[in-house]
Amino acid sequence: MLVWFAAVLLNFLLQRPNIAVNCPYTLQPAPNYLYCTDPDDRIQLTDGKYTQGYFWTQKSTVGWRNVSPVFIVVDLGRDVSIAGASFNTAAGVAGVEFPAAIWVLVSVDGKQWHEVGELVQASNEQNGPPPAQGYAVHRFWTDQWQTHGRFVAFVVIPQGSFCFVDEIEVYEGDPNWRFQPFASEPIADLKIFAQRKEIERCALRRLKEDLATLRQIVEQAKIAEPTKSQIRQQLDELANFVPKAFAIDNPVSFRTTLPLNDWHARLFEVQAQLWRAKGMKPFVAFVASSPYDPLPYLRENPLPKVVMERVELILLRNEVRPIAINIVNVRERPIAVRVQVQGLPDTIVVEPHHALWTDTKEGVPIAAALPKGERFAVASGMVGQAWLNFKPTKKALSGDYNARIVITSDAGDKVSISLRLTVLPLTLPDRMSLHLGGWDYTDVEERYGVNPKNRDAFIAHLREHFVDIPWASRFVLPSGKFDAQGRMVEEPDTTAFDQWLNRWRGASRFYVFVNAGSSFEGSKVGTPEFERKVGEWIAFWWRHAQKRGLKKGQFGVLLVDEPHTPEQDELTIAWAKALKKTAPEVVIWVDPTWSEPQRMNPQLPEVVDVLCPQRAIWLRNPKAHEEFYLGWKAKGKRLALYSCSGPSKLLDPYAYYRLQAWHCFAIGADEMFFWAFGDNGGNSCWNAYLDPRNCYTPLFIAPDSVTPAKHMEAIREGVQDYEILTMLSRMVRERRFKSSLSAEAERLLKEGIAKVLQPIGVNELRWHVSKDRTVADRVREWALKLLGSERLTDYPLVH
């Protein structure tokens, strides 16, 4: 340790002169972190001054949030010799992490660039890595390069949501280096360079981690030593040829589907060899205990303790429910699989999908995407999955149906799984009791991942999954013009509003995010002019909404997003009061994020109609939230729940998405929301390696397509669960059960729901946290058996 410290100290004392002092530079994109961004960001990185105090709250720091990559280009003024560079940053707390990579390039003319090296790796090798835990300021630097140039580009790949830096340096090299030829090929586009490098970094991480994991699995495997030695030898041979680069032609069209390449496929073939050594059959297909359990990826034994080759499913008419079939390929080669359902009438629709393996920005493999089709491939040594959605139509006859799920492969394999499907004499309504939305913002031509090429498919998919509360931006509610006294003298243009309603014709409710500020059309909040202008504005829009057929409760506004400070509460209250004076029928919807809701301004819940707390915050402090929000519900306020955690693909489809509907039922909420159905993080969901920030959509959205995913399927299941619980509750309330069954139904509505929800805390919302995902199915089946026990005809539901 002392030797290392002495070497670092000596390097510091002998460090070459910094030739970037006071040199101009460009930043792309512009810094956007609120607490440190200021006009001097354009000079602070080369002023020779280092930040004092908490790093990212000081104006001497330059910061970005939800941006990747970051480009910093320094102009040294002339072509000079360069020995190295430095990047001073901080991380370790508040979700801030050190950069994943800092690529340094040089150019003589600012047009043709040459790669020099990756600063994080070079610094770690020369000076040691930053602390693994706790807040720390760290300087990534090296003086071991030999190059030259006038322009120096720092291409920073943040790790997580934040990037901070307070000083960059460039170290002078020996004068004769200026005449040396560049060692790398010229690069014309820094953005494409960054994309290729990030894909390469993430892909090579996947390959190396999988090799290391499989080595550990093999060492711990209970197989004969000679066989284990053979498998070790195969892994050693693969290790000798681990790709040192991961070249791709087009970073935009690249997909992170697994296996990533031929080398990766050979690694999984070794896993298949391990499975064969453990005595597994060449081909195994069985029913997944829950469709939402993560599929085994690298595992000594991918099979459950009990392999289920029989499945039962109870359904209402018009209800959609999945059955998942896991398919394990133990053969030495990939196989083409076909999955068919035989023996069901046409009145029971079967929609086949299959799960695709993809990698994530965080390096966690998932099998979440569900493209349609009964035919698909399963690589050697991997677990594939068929996903079958069953839906009895309204014409389906009630009763039991015996059928078979037949799985075949091009290698001659065949597995037949017995299916018993029961259709009850009840029909799920087309309109659900639980209303669903997700800030889709389909009012504009392009927002987040939605654009004219995929918008129609996006809206259609949302409608199929019971989304009936579309969201629009303030753009659909222009202000019009007012005179000096605040009277409207020119009515707003209704074109955008009408177009939005047409896209969502028949939706139950229409909500708009107003993004209210401290003034409206030049009049400050609290003034008579403000109240008059806002009143006339909202009155106009309510009249127009009525002309378009909307009724009381169908048109609502969110004024201030996620209020959690006294100032935000006061702003919401001022706007809400002004709106209610002239348009009391317009719904005022609010999503407060107070961790202790009792600290909220007491006027806020009084002036709004719908209180929609965030579920994750509720789970952190459930007692306080129950007391507060259920108290306001007792006073006549409507409740809703929303969630906005990310990245979405690492969240549990069962615990995070499906069970939010159960939580809504438990507290009497009639709306639920997820941020955000269209937010793909500014990037195709098929190439998460290039995500510049968290992705939140529960779908796989690309610029020209929308693909189903398990997370959205879970939302639909949750909405249907809520409806079944509503049916049961209404039958108890109206005494349609015999006394013994009524008592059992009441017990289900209390103890059964608690059994589903009690095991789920904030930590359990993550997908790869182990949990029993069959509890909700068991309680649902219990409810359906109670509903079917009375030989009921269709129950008339009024919403």
Side-chain angles (χ1 to χ4, degrees):
M1 183 67 182
L2 289 174
V3 173
W4 175 84
F5 180 77
V8 171
L9 179 62
L10 181 61
N11 277 336
F12 179 77
L13 294 174
L14 297 177
Q15 200 169 83
R16 295 172 178 267
N18 173 21
I19 53 177
V21 176
N22 294 325
C23 286
Y25 55 85
T26 60
L27 302 172
Q28 186 184 3
N32 64 355
Y33 188 70
L34 177 64
Y35 298 106
C36 64
T37 296
D38 68 339
D40 286 343
D41 284 347
R42 60 186 177 84
I43 60 173
Q44 288 164 339
L45 295 187
T46 58
D47 62 2
K49 300 174 183 177
Y50 283 78
T51 291
Q52 302 296 317
Y54 202 57
F55 201 80
W56 42 82
T57 62
Q58 308 302 314
K59 293 300 183 183
S60 54
T61 296
V62 180
W64 294 262
R65 181 179 183 181
N66 291 331
V67 167
S68 181
V70 171
F71 298 94
I72 305 171
V73 178
V74 182
D75 182 357
L76 300 176
R78 57 189 177 87
D79 185 9
V80 294
S81 299
I82 297 170
S86 166
F87 185 97
N88 197 62
T89 184
V93 294
V96 181
E97 302 177 72
F98 288 109
I102 305 170
W103 295 97
V104 177
L105 300 90
V106 294
S107 172
V108 174
D109 58 5
K111 297 178 181 178
Q112 294 291 318
W113 295 90
H114 297 270
E115 178 186 339
V116 180
E118 200 279 291
L119 187 57
V120 172
Q121 180 179 349
S123 178
N124 290 348
E125 292 174 355
Q126 182 176 336
N127 312 303
Q133 294 181 336
Y135 174 81
V137 177
H138 184 80
R139 188 166 66 99
F140 293 99
W141 69 276
T142 184
D143 58 1
Q144 302 298 305
W145 292 334
Q146 291 188 18
T147 188
H148 68 93
R150 171 179 172 175
F151 299 92
V152 180
F154 294 77
V155 180
V156 187
I157 308 296
Q159 190 162 238
S161 300
F162 303 97
C163 175
F164 298 105
V165 57
D166 70 336
E167 196 70 18
I168 54 177
E169 298 178 350
V170 179
Y171 303 127
E172 186 177 23
D174 294 347
N176 58 336
W177 294 352
R178 194 163 63 88
F179 305 103
Q180 294 180 356
F182 291 108
S184 61
E185 293 296 318
I187 297 163
D189 192 318
L190 288 178
K191 181 179 179 181
I192 293 177
F193 166 84
Q195 290 174 336
R196 284 183 170 145
K197 282 297 183 181
E198 181 59 358
I199 291 172
E200 181 178 66
R201 183 186 72 85
C202 293
L204 294 181
R205 175 189 64 190
R206 174 82 280 131
L207 303 184
K208 292 173 183 177
E209 287 184 2
D210 287 355
L211 175 61
T213 300
L214 190 54
R215 278 190 184 278
Q216 292 177 354
I217 291 171
V218 170
E219 291 306 318
Q220 297 170 4
K222 296 178 180 179
I223 56 175
E225 186 57 36
T227 304
K228 183 179 290 190
S229 179
Q230 291 177 359
I231 296 176
R232 278 198 204 105
Q233 183 177 352
Q234 293 212 27
L235 291 175
D236 289 341
E237 291 175 0
L238 280 172
N240 291 333
F241 295 97
V242 174
K244 293 182 172 57
F246 193 86
I248 56 171
D249 293 330
N250 185 356
V252 175
S253 62
F254 175 77
R255 290 189 169 198
T256 66
T257 49
L258 303 173
L260 288 172
N261 60 12
D262 291 342
W263 185 96
H264 205 198
R266 289 198 295 273
L267 182 70
F268 283 99
E269 290 169 6
V270 176
Q271 175 162 255
Q273 185 178 349
L274 170 64
W275 292 346
R276 292 194 296 272
K278 292 185 67 66
M280 286 181 59
K281 297 177 183 178
F283 180 87
V284 185
F286 58 93
V287 181
S289 60
S290 168
Y292 302 113
D293 282 338
L295 283 184
Y297 181 66
L298 291 171
R299 193 81 59 85
E300 180 182 349
N301 183 0
L303 302 181
K305 292 181 180 179
V306 178
V307 174
M308 294 193 298
E309 296 183 353
R310 177 182 175 82
V311 60
E312 296 184 0
L313 184 61
I314 304 175
L315 290 167
L316 304 180
R317 299 189 189 101
N318 208 34
E319 182 184 11
V320 180
R321 295 288 173 175
I323 292 175
I325 308 297
N326 290 358
I327 300 166
V328 185
N329 181 13
V330 191
R331 294 188 178 276
E332 297 178 358
R333 65 170 180 86
I335 54 174
V337 172
R338 185 180 187 187
V339 179
Q340 297 172 289
V341 178
Q342 300 174 353
L344 290 178
D346 293 341
T347 53
I348 299 176
V349 177
V350 182
E351 186 179 79
H353 298 256
H354 54 275
L356 270 185
W357 280 102
T358 58
D359 201 6
T360 60
K361 180 83 167 183
E362 297 73 23
V364 179
I366 57 170
L370 294 174
K372 290 183 180 180
E374 63 180 26
R375 300 174 186 268
F376 55 97
V378 181
S380 172
M382 295 195 77
V383 180
Q385 186 179 70
W387 181 286
L388 305 171
N389 281 332
F390 292 84
K391 180 182 180 179
T393 67
K394 295 178 182 179
K395 295 181 179 180
L397 298 178
S398 61
D400 296 331
Y401 296 83
N402 293 314
R404 307 202 70 80
I405 302 172
V406 180
I407 306 101
T408 56
S409 81
D410 63 351
D413 305 298
K414 182 176 181 179
V415 173
S416 181
I417 292 174
S418 174
L419 167 64
R420 182 183 178 88
L421 191 148
T422 300
V423 179
L424 295 182
L426 290 165
T427 302
L428 207 66
D430 293 324
R431 288 184 177 271
M432 296 289 116
S433 301
L434 180 62
H435 301 279
L436 173 63
W439 290 279
D440 54 285
Y441 291 133
T442 46
D443 58 303
V444 293
E445 286 301 294
E446 188 166 350
R447 186 75 177 269
Y448 299 119
V450 182
N451 63 73
K453 292 182 179 179
N454 62 17
R455 185 181 55 236
D456 290 347
F458 175 69
I459 292 176
H461 194 82
L462 295 187
R463 283 180 174 273
E464 288 174 5
H465 290 73
F466 303 121
V467 175
D468 65 345
I469 304 182
W471 279 88
S473 61
R474 173 72 166 81
F475 176 74
V476 301
L477 303 179
S479 304
K481 293 184 179 180
F482 300 85
D483 63 19
Q485 287 72 42
R487 296 183 181 87
M488 183 178 286
V489 295
E490 183 178 319
E491 292 183 344
D493 184 356
T494 64
T495 302
F497 184 89
D498 294 338
Q499 180 176 271
W500 175 50
L501 262 62
N502 290 338
R503 285 176 181 164
W504 283 91
R505 194 179 300 275
S508 297
R509 298 167 187 177
F510 293 82
Y511 286 171
V512 179
F513 175 39
V514 173
N515 197 17
S518 58
S519 65
F520 179 74
E521 292 300 305
S523 298
K524 291 185 178 180
V525 169
T527 63
E529 293 78 15
F530 167 83
E531 294 195 2
R532 188 179 299 119
K533 288 179 179 178
V534 168
E536 293 205 15
W537 167 72
I538 196 63
F540 167 83
W541 283 110
W542 173 233
R543 289 194 301 271
H544 184 72
Q546 288 177 292
K547 292 177 184 177
R548 291 299 312 268
L550 300 190
K551 296 178 173 58
K552 181 180 179 181
Q554 287 191 286
F555 177 47
V557 293
L558 164 61
L559 299 170
V560 178
D561 189 31
E562 297 185 333
H564 58 278
T565 67
E567 294 77 16
Q568 291 172 321
D569 284 359
E570 290 171 5
L571 186 60
T572 303
I573 293 165
W575 273 81
K577 286 182 176 180
L579 265 63
K580 284 297 185 183
K581 284 182 180 179
T582 59
E585 301 88 350
V586 173
V587 174
I588 308 295
W589 188 100
V590 67
D591 53 348
T593 54
W594 287 92
S595 58
E596 298 176 20
Q598 290 77 5
R599 295 174 56 196
M600 187 188 308
N601 188 318
Q603 290 188 63
L604 181 61
E606 288 181 0
V607 298
V608 303
D609 301 294
V610 181
L611 292 163
C612 183
Q614 188 187 126
R615 182 176 173 226
I617 297 176
W618 185 302
L619 292 176
R620 292 188 186 99
N621 191 4
K623 184 177 180 180
H625 279 70
E626 286 172 11
E627 291 177 356
F628 183 84
Y629 287 106
L630 296 185
W632 279 103
K633 182 178 184 297
K635 296 177 183 178
K637 299 299 178 181
R638 284 178 27 223
L639 296 185
L641 281 178
Y642 84 104
S643 289
C644 63
S645 302
S648 58
K649 302 305 187 296
L650 299 187
L651 296 167
D652 192 336
Y654 171 79
Y656 182 85
Y657 286 102
R658 181 178 177 182
L659 293 195
Q660 180 159 304
W662 289 72
H663 195 161
C664 284
F665 186 86
I667 65 173
D670 73 339
E671 295 178 351
M672 77 170 181
F673 305 87
F674 295 93
W675 179 270
F677 291 150
D679 188 355
N680 64 349
N683 180 50
S684 169
C685 294
W686 291 105
N687 184 4
Y689 289 165
L690 296 184
D691 284 354
R693 56 178 177 80
N694 277 347
C695 171
Y696 291 94
T697 178
L699 299 164
F700 271 68
I701 298 178
D704 58 354
S705 66
V706 176
T707 302
K710 293 181 180 180
H711 302 74
M712 195 73 205
E713 298 301 303
I715 292 174
R716 175 164 60 184
E717 283 214 74
V719 174
Q720 295 177 140
D721 294 340
Y722 185 104
E723 196 66 31
I724 290 168
L725 295 172
T726 299
M727 294 168 69
L728 190 68
S729 175
R730 189 169 291 147
M731 289 178 64
V732 170
R733 190 169 61 251
E734 297 182 2
R735 299 183 179 181
R736 291 173 58 88
F737 282 120
K738 296 176 181 178
S739 59
S740 59
L741 291 178
S742 181
E744 185 179 351
E746 289 178 356
R747 184 162 62 89
L748 182 154
L749 292 170
K750 183 177 180 181
E751 298 175 12
I753 292 174
K755 189 175 182 180
V756 171
L757 293 177
Q758 281 177 355
I760 306 302
V762 174
N763 189 52
E764 283 71 29
L765 299 180
R766 296 287 164 181
W767 198 357
H768 287 76
V769 175
S770 179
K771 60 186 75 72
D772 184 355
R773 297 178 179 83
T774 66
V775 183
D777 286 325
R778 295 200 300 270
V779 175
R780 168 189 166 272
E781 289 180 10
W782 180 11
L784 289 178
K785 288 175 181 178
L786 283 170
L787 290 171
S789 64
E790 291 291 300
R791 300 184 182 277
L792 299 165
T793 56
D794 282 351
Y795 186 68
L797 295 178
V798 180
H799 302 308

